[in-house]
Amino acid sequence: MSTYEENESKFMRKAKENPFVPVGMAGFFAIVGYRLMKMKSRGDTKMSVHLIHMRVAAQGFVVGAMTLGVVYSMYKEYVVKPREQQKAVDHK
């Protein structure tokens, strides 16, 4: 197995464990791409201010995706898993 295949399978495994990581990455790149295209029509806004706004928006999206990922994993751990365990006990 080549290094590329190992890395690809590692990424897919991590994406299945934490589904909001790819969402956060995609959102980050989408926001950065959009803001870079919008840079042409920024008007009187200084370049540094425009870049700071782009960074804050991208980081905010990533933090939001990470927060949703944590909430989702807590839901699976503390709500879904106890239900499944209770169903298994009831079927015995």
Side-chain angles (χ1 to χ4, degrees):
M1 189 182 299
S2 70
T3 305
Y4 176 76
E5 291 172 355
E6 290 173 2
N7 289 338
E8 183 179 7
S9 63
K10 183 178 179 182
F11 177 76
M12 294 307 290
R13 182 174 40 86
K14 290 289 187 182
K16 288 178 185 175
E17 291 173 4
N18 302 313
F20 287 96
V21 170
V23 171
M25 291 172 58
F28 174 82
F29 288 119
I31 289 171
V32 169
Y34 172 74
R35 296 294 293 201
L36 286 175
M37 288 188 331
K38 195 176 171 185
M39 191 181 295
K40 294 177 185 175
S41 63
R42 71 180 188 270
D44 292 341
T45 308
K46 289 184 179 180
M47 173 73 83
S48 62
V49 172
H50 185 77
L51 292 175
I52 289 170
H53 289 170
M54 178 176 58
R55 180 184 63 87
V56 168
Q59 283 181 334
F61 188 89
V62 170
V63 168
M66 288 173 53
T67 303
L68 287 175
V70 168
V71 169
Y72 176 72
S73 66
M74 288 176 63
Y75 171 76
K76 283 191 336 185
E77 182 71 26
Y78 297 111
V79 176
V80 174
K81 193 182 274 187
R83 281 186 195 164
E84 291 173 354
Q85 291 173 349
Q86 185 65 30
K87 286 180 184 178
V89 169
D90 290 345
H91 282 41
K92 286 184 179 180

